[in-house]
Amino acid sequence: MNEKALKTLEFDKIISLLADKASSVPGRIRCLKLLPMKDMDKINNALEASGDAYTRLVKKGSITFGGLTGIEDTLKRLAVKASLNMAELLTLASLSESCDRARDYGLPSDRDPYTDSLTGLFSILKPMTPFAKEVRRCILAEDEMADDASAELRSIRRSLAAMNDRIHEALDKIVNGTGRTYLQDPVVTMRNGRYCLPVKLEYKNQISGMVHDQSGSGSTVFIEPTAVVKLNNECRELELKEQLEIERILQRLSERAGLLQREIRLNFETMSELDFIFAKGKLALDLKASKPIFNDRGFLRIRNGRHPLLDPEKVVPIDIELGGDFSLLVVTGPNTGGKTVSLKTVGLLTLMGEAGLLIPASDRSELSIFSDVYADIGDEQSIEQSLSTFSAHMTNIVSILGEVKEDSLVLFDELGAGTDPTEGAALAISILESLHKRKIRTMATTHYSELKVFALQTEGVRNASCEFNVETLRPTYRILIGIPGKSNAFAISRRLGLPDSIIDEAKLHIKEQDEAFEDLLTDLELKRASMEEEAVRIKKEREEAENLRREAELLRKKLNETRDKILTDAKEEAELILMDAKEYADENMKNFRKFGKNGINSAQMEREREALRKKIKSSRESRNEQVKETTHKQHKPTDFQLGDSVRVHSMNCKGIVSSKPDSKGNILVQMGILKSRVHYSDLEILPDVDITGPDNFRKTGGSKIKVSKARSISPEISLRGMTVDEALAVLSKYLDDACLANLSPVRIVHGKGTGALRNAVHNYLRKAKHVKSFRLGEFGEGDAGVTIVELK
């Protein structure tokens, strides 16, 4: 890898930020060793792991990987069957406990069945809980063995405590008795591991015993009285036994650790790798990064890319494309306009992606694998090597041209600067043309108008500019591909107070063709702004047309439902008429046969027929009354007032009067999101219905629940800025309202961000009973920040 480019593009600073996120020394070492990779599978696997770590940090919170320090040295000692000390054994116990916490965090459970690419790594961790518990039981601290580590140790320490009590008792008799006057201080002290008394030099022959030490001044000697010499000897023997027993316990624990060497090494390596991966996830969380899509075609498309080392509150996202329709991008614009930052952003994000790091850019950004990245950026002047700025840059460029390959990425900042402008521009064009012929992906910044013309005239080369607001004298830092930029030197100078006379004089020194070219750029900029405004207007009109299409589709469905209902009612009415006729005929035939057998009595038969006719007539009148009840009351045009609640019978919908009747008797009625002109004869005023109320339903006196949300429900809901729980609660209520209003499709705005809210919304939609289908928004609909939902 080109080490110079790594430093120029400040990849080392990204690595330093990454290392700070590691929670262990081995994890930090792995971070510091991270370099861009060139294998597609390795890059994609690393990116998937980083993305899954990012998701886990968002869903489950942070995790630390402690207990890894010093494990490698401990494993070397275990390999030669050496006995470990207490500190080393405690480190192994700490590793085991960290592995248990990591397993609980990373493995799926009944409560949380979540799995991803990291689940396999977490499952590799081997539990060593019994060993860790035994170490914790026996060892209290790095220099303290527990009394209960063994029965023998407990017995020895009891004997030792009893022996110490006897020694102190014997010495206390001397201190508190006749020998007190001989002592420098009435205390018992230790010298060379034995209990002694501080005796004044002039009285050293008054106390029988062994002299072990003398004070610095010589006025005090430390004597072990004869009465406690034997007791001190016995105490020393017990201390030696204690040390031997501690060593035996350490050897026993070390042998047990030796049987777990494979598990310890595997856990150590796995925990180090997990610490490294989660460091990448933590860095992505800080940078609000996303996973790029990689290709091997040399194609770059960075969407809303941000330089990771700039203040996230101030950095302006940029959109850059390279390697598709053009392989060479020439960026122009004023100083401090963002040209160099754009170069570094492209190079640094490419290196980060190749290293398996998520990049600070929007979803669906695309990067390519390059054999190497070369950069000539910044002031390369060297006093030690006697190189001017131009010479230093040219030395670097010569080196780049000698090493570059067809699948490389080359970045030039102010190509050809630092020398005569005419010669510098000619050299710059020649260098770029040489790279362009080899189809090497190249991005260069410049102030030279000749390079702008070269980009306009050469196929496969594209101009770009850094936008600058002359009114405020501030760059917007937006990259505009396809439009060459202006230096705006005259405008900036005038705004800063340079006299107009000087500026006018300066304009006289500009060639007419150069001035015409600058005027062309100004015209292009105006046209670009106009086209952007036109694009916004077209987008708005497209959305309005889509809303009208939805309303028309809704109206068509309502009309079809009304038609089907009319046909069904007519069919039922015909069947009832046929049934009445059949009943009338059957009854007549029955009476005819009845009177025919007993002799025809015409008067009685006529009475029976009259009774039957009255029965049929009564049945018809009853049905007619039902029809009258369903037939709405006829109103005059003057009966309708703004805000009246009405029923549209042809559509079987309720709505609100939004306008007074026109000359033809048509009234504008708002029905949910649908607004339609309806003739007053098709309307019925509903005085007891609350359609405009704030709630979804209202109970009337008859305890009937009536819909009131249809008029106010919007075809779009925004969940941005909410937590997942808040968003799902709001979404559930909104979908219920939309179903009641017969509103479909609807638009859910959840934003892009980390993708966590979008995934939660999609999981909810998959289970929602109202949802027929859903999809991500397309271009012009909001892209991945929007989901379009079709309701049943």
Side-chain angles (χ1 to χ4, degrees):
M1 187 65 203
N2 185 359
E3 295 289 338
K4 182 177 178 60
L6 292 179
K7 186 174 181 180
T8 300
L9 295 172
E10 300 177 296
F11 182 75
D12 56 325
K13 294 183 180 179
I14 297 298
I15 294 302
S16 179
L17 291 177
L18 176 65
D20 290 340
K21 301 298 179 184
S23 55
S24 70
V25 173
R28 181 179 177 84
I29 291 173
R30 291 187 183 223
C31 291
L32 293 173
K33 290 181 178 180
L34 181 64
L35 288 171
M37 298 174 284
K38 304 305 173 185
D39 183 88
M40 178 73 78
D41 292 336
K42 289 182 179 179
I43 291 173
N44 284 331
N45 290 339
L47 286 173
E48 184 180 10
S50 300
D52 289 339
Y54 176 95
T55 302
R56 283 178 178 266
L57 289 169
V58 172
K59 292 182 62 176
K60 296 185 175 184
S62 184
I63 179 175
T64 58
F65 299 89
L68 305 183
T69 304
I71 296 295
E72 290 175 310
D73 293 336
T74 301
L75 285 170
K76 290 178 183 178
R77 288 170 57 79
L78 285 177
V80 296
K81 297 183 179 180
S83 179
L84 303 181
N85 58 39
M86 286 187 274
E88 291 171 323
L89 288 167
L90 287 175
T91 299
L92 293 181
S94 179
L95 171 64
S96 173
E97 291 160 355
S98 294
C99 290
D100 290 341
R101 289 193 297 270
R103 285 172 58 86
D104 291 341
Y105 177 90
L107 293 179
S109 62
D110 294 338
R111 183 175 57 86
D112 183 11
Y114 178 80
T115 59
D116 56 22
S117 66
L118 299 180
T119 303
L121 267 179
F122 282 107
S123 64
I124 291 176
L125 297 173
K126 303 298 181 183
M128 302 187 299
T129 307
F131 168 74
K133 287 184 177 179
E134 179 64 12
V135 171
R136 293 295 185 189
R137 184 187 71 82
C138 295
I139 303 175
L140 301 180
E142 292 185 0
D143 57 354
E144 183 180 1
M145 182 73 72
D147 294 345
D148 294 334
S150 72
E152 180 66 18
L153 182 62
R154 184 188 310 111
S155 175
I156 291 171
R157 286 185 172 176
R158 284 178 180 174
S159 300
L160 191 58
M163 186 60 64
N164 284 327
D165 290 341
R166 290 175 61 190
I167 292 172
H168 277 87
E169 183 178 350
L171 292 174
D172 286 343
K173 287 182 180 179
I174 298 174
V175 170
N176 297 321
T178 56
R180 181 167 185 172
T181 57
Y182 308 138
L183 302 180
Q184 193 72 257
D185 294 299
V187 294
V188 177
T189 185
M190 294 284 291
R191 284 294 184 275
N192 300 323
R194 303 182 74 85
Y195 289 99
C196 301
L197 295 176
V199 181
K200 297 177 182 178
L201 180 63
E202 58 269 26
Y203 297 119
K204 68 176 183 177
N205 294 324
Q206 301 299 319
I207 294 181
S208 173
M210 299 176 59
V211 177
H212 285 281
D213 199 3
Q214 189 172 9
S215 66
S217 62
S219 61
T220 305
V221 291
F222 296 93
I223 298 176
E224 178 186 4
T226 305
V228 297
V229 169
K230 183 180 180 181
L231 295 177
N232 269 332
N233 290 338
E234 292 178 5
C235 182
R236 184 61 180 164
E237 290 176 3
L238 288 173
E239 288 175 350
L240 292 174
K241 285 183 179 180
E242 178 190 29
Q243 189 59 38
L244 288 174
E245 180 61 18
I246 289 175
E247 290 176 359
R248 190 188 67 79
I249 294 170
L250 291 176
Q251 182 62 37
R252 174 174 61 83
L253 293 174
S254 299
E255 290 173 357
R256 189 166 178 178
L259 298 176
L260 296 171
Q261 281 186 74
R262 180 178 174 277
E263 288 82 355
I264 293 171
R265 183 173 296 280
L266 187 62
N267 286 351
F268 171 72
E269 295 292 338
T270 304
M271 290 286 281
S272 300
E273 181 67 14
L274 284 170
D275 189 20
F276 166 62
I277 291 172
F278 273 85
K280 294 193 290 183
K282 292 173 184 176
L283 180 64
L285 197 62
D286 284 352
L287 298 178
K288 298 180 181 178
S290 66
K291 179 183 174 183
I293 301 170
F294 261 89
N295 64 76
D296 54 5
R297 308 187 312 275
F299 176 69
L300 295 172
R301 179 187 285 133
I302 298 174
R303 304 171 68 245
N304 294 318
R306 306 176 303 280
H307 195 289
L309 298 178
L310 296 180
D311 186 348
E313 300 298 326
K314 297 179 180 179
V315 64
V316 177
I318 59 172
D319 294 328
I320 289 185
E321 182 177 322
L322 179 64
D325 296 334
F326 52 92
S327 61
L328 172 57
L329 187 64
V330 178
V331 184
T332 52
N335 290 325
T336 71
K339 300 190 301 298
T340 303
V341 171
S342 300
L343 272 183
K344 287 189 173 183
T345 300
V346 171
L348 185 54
L349 265 56
T350 298
L351 294 175
M352 288 177 65
E354 289 181 342
L357 298 173
L358 304 189
I359 63 172
S362 295
D363 285 343
R364 294 183 284 181
S365 291
E366 294 188 55
L367 298 175
S368 180
I369 299 176
F370 295 103
S371 61
D372 217 330
V373 177
Y374 297 93
D376 180 59
I377 300 174
D379 188 357
E380 299 287 337
Q381 184 174 359
S382 174
I383 297 175
E384 293 179 358
Q385 300 179 18
S386 300
L387 293 176
S388 66
T389 299
F390 176 76
S391 299
H393 277 293
M394 194 52 59
T395 300
N396 193 26
I397 291 170
V398 169
S399 174
I400 291 173
L401 293 177
E403 299 175 8
V404 71
K405 300 177 183 178
E406 280 69 19
D407 57 351
S408 299
L409 175 65
V410 182
L411 306 171
F412 290 127
D413 186 28
E414 301 293 352
L415 183 60
T419 187
D420 178 78
T422 303
E423 294 181 355
L427 277 172
I429 291 174
S430 180
I431 291 169
L432 293 179
E433 195 166 24
S434 171
L435 295 171
H436 179 55
K437 286 179 180 178
R438 297 171 62 185
K439 297 189 182 301
I440 296 172
R441 289 359 183 214
T442 308
M443 184 174 172
T445 68
T446 183
H447 284 287
Y448 294 141
S449 297
E450 291 87 346
L451 266 68
K452 304 174 190 177
V453 175
F454 166 72
L456 288 171
Q457 294 177 343
T458 308
E459 185 178 355
V461 183
R462 190 69 55 86
N463 268 306
S465 61
C466 292
E467 191 178 51
F468 191 87
N469 189 326
V470 181
E471 295 298 323
T472 61
L473 287 182
R474 292 182 181 275
T476 65
Y477 301 107
R478 291 177 59 202
I479 297 294
L480 307 175
I481 294 180
I483 300 174
K486 293 180 62 178
S487 295
N488 294 302
F490 292 156
I492 294 173
S493 300
R494 177 177 283 109
R495 291 281 296 179
L496 292 175
L498 190 67
D500 291 344
S501 58
I502 296 178
I503 294 174
D504 293 339
E505 181 68 22
K507 288 182 177 180
L508 296 176
H509 296 287
I510 297 180
K511 295 180 181 179
E512 184 177 344
Q513 61 182 14
D514 293 338
E515 187 174 4
F517 183 73
E518 291 296 317
D519 292 340
L520 174 62
L521 294 183
T522 302
D523 184 54
L524 285 174
E525 177 64 17
L526 293 174
K527 289 182 178 179
R528 180 196 64 80
S530 176
M531 289 175 65
E532 283 190 355
E533 293 177 1
E534 183 69 12
V536 171
R537 184 185 64 79
I538 291 173
K539 182 180 178 181
K540 183 177 181 182
E541 291 180 352
R542 183 184 299 162
E543 291 175 352
E544 291 176 353
E546 180 64 19
N547 289 334
L548 290 174
R549 186 193 65 77
R550 292 175 185 166
E551 291 178 2
E553 181 66 18
L554 183 61
L555 180 59
R556 185 185 65 79
K557 290 180 180 179
K558 289 291 185 182
L559 290 174
N560 288 340
E561 291 173 0
T562 304
R563 180 197 63 192
D564 294 342
K565 186 175 185 303
I566 291 173
L567 291 175
T568 301
D569 292 345
K571 184 177 180 181
E572 291 177 355
E573 179 68 18
E575 288 177 353
L576 289 174
I577 292 173
L578 287 174
M579 289 176 63
D580 287 345
K582 183 177 182 298
E583 185 181 351
Y584 178 73
D586 289 346
E587 191 67 24
N588 273 313
M589 291 300 297
K590 179 180 177 182
N591 289 336
F592 185 77
R593 286 193 295 271
K594 173 182 175 183
F595 290 113
K597 290 179 180 180
N598 300 328
I600 297 175
N601 185 333
S602 58
Q604 185 178 358
M605 185 173 179
E606 187 61 30
R607 285 195 298 273
E608 291 291 336
R609 289 177 62 192
E610 183 64 27
L612 184 57
R613 279 195 296 269
K614 289 181 178 179
K615 179 180 178 183
I616 292 174
K617 181 179 180 181
S618 174
S619 176
R620 286 178 177 173
E621 289 176 350
S622 176
R623 284 200 302 274
N624 289 337
E625 285 297 323
Q626 293 176 4
V627 172
K628 286 180 180 179
E629 288 179 5
T630 58
T631 303
H632 66 276
K633 176 183 176 182
Q634 293 296 324
H635 296 283
K636 299 177 183 179
T638 56
D639 293 340
F640 294 94
Q641 302 296 325
L642 292 177
D644 283 350
S645 300
V646 295
R647 179 189 297 279
V648 182
H649 285 275
S650 61
M651 300 175 66
N652 193 28
C653 286
K654 296 175 184 177
I656 300 295
V657 173
S658 298
S659 72
K660 291 187 177 181
D662 58 17
S663 59
K664 296 181 180 179
N666 292 323
I667 299 174
L668 192 62
V669 179
Q670 179 79 45
M671 296 165 282
I673 65 166
L674 180 64
K675 185 178 288 187
S676 179
R677 288 197 175 276
V678 184
H679 196 267
Y680 74 88
S681 61
D682 193 25
L683 300 177
E684 179 183 0
I685 298 176
L686 304 175
D688 62 337
V689 177
D690 178 14
I691 295 179
T692 61
D695 300 318
N696 289 343
F697 300 97
R698 181 179 71 86
K699 283 191 176 183
T700 61
S703 298
K704 297 178 181 178
I705 299 177
K706 302 194 175 182
V707 178
S708 64
K709 198 74 175 177
R711 179 172 179 264
S712 60
I713 190 71
S714 169
E716 174 181 303
I717 184 172
S718 176
L719 307 178
R720 288 175 296 184
M722 301 183 187
T723 64
V724 169
D725 292 338
E726 292 171 347
L728 293 183
V730 172
L731 178 60
S732 175
K733 183 176 184 299
Y734 172 75
L735 291 179
D736 290 340
D737 292 345
C739 285
L740 289 173
N742 289 324
L743 177 60
S744 179
V746 294
R747 187 168 179 262
I748 301 172
V749 181
H750 43 63
K752 298 173 184 176
T754 64
L757 181 56
R758 176 182 62 209
N759 293 337
V761 168
H762 285 187
N763 289 336
Y764 176 81
L765 294 176
R766 290 188 185 98
K767 302 175 184 177
K769 61 182 180 180
H770 304 313
V771 175
K772 180 179 179 182
S773 64
F774 64 91
R775 61 177 175 80
L776 279 177
E778 298 176 352
F779 180 76
E781 293 180 323
D783 294 342
V786 169
T787 296
I788 308 299
V789 182
E790 292 280 351
L791 299 178
K792 295 180 180 178

